[in-house]
Amino acid sequence: MIQLTRFNDQTFVLNAFLIEQIEALPDTTITLTTGKKIVVKETVDQVTRRVNGFLKEIPSWSQAAHAEEGVLRCSKAED
């Protein structure tokens, strides 16, 4: 879950797993997997950093990311 701010200064918590895409239109617009769109004060970079921080807090997620990095290094070494 990540905390974000609407343009009326109300904060809310969003389930990061529901994010399909994040765009600057020019305001940051988050499209959810449900099709709903949310406009927030944070920049695309800020939202991305919060999502990445959230994912790093999940032990199995960070282990899977490290495993993927290892596979990429091995496949590059074979080239």
Side-chain angles (χ1 to χ4, degrees):
M1 304 289 269
I2 59 171
Q3 185 169 335
L4 299 169
T5 312
R6 296 184 192 276
F7 274 92
N8 63 2
D9 289 324
Q10 285 186 322
T11 59
F12 67 100
V13 179
L14 176 67
N15 182 345
F17 290 115
L18 294 178
I19 297 174
E20 182 174 307
Q21 69 181 25
I22 307 167
E23 302 172 278
L25 299 173
D27 297 324
T28 304
T29 303
I30 301 170
T31 304
L32 305 181
T33 56
T34 62
K36 180 177 181 177
K37 293 182 184 274
I38 302 171
V39 180
V40 297
K41 282 187 167 184
E42 289 79 9
T43 65
V44 170
D45 287 339
Q46 289 171 320
V47 175
T48 302
R49 276 189 250 123
R50 290 180 190 182
V51 170
N52 288 335
F54 165 72
L55 293 176
K56 286 179 184 175
E57 292 177 8
I58 303 169
S60 61
W61 191 273
S62 60
Q63 289 171 359
H66 290 301
E68 183 178 332
E69 288 172 11
V71 169
L72 289 174
R73 279 196 299 271
C74 289
S75 29
K76 286 181 182 177
E78 290 175 0
D79 290 340

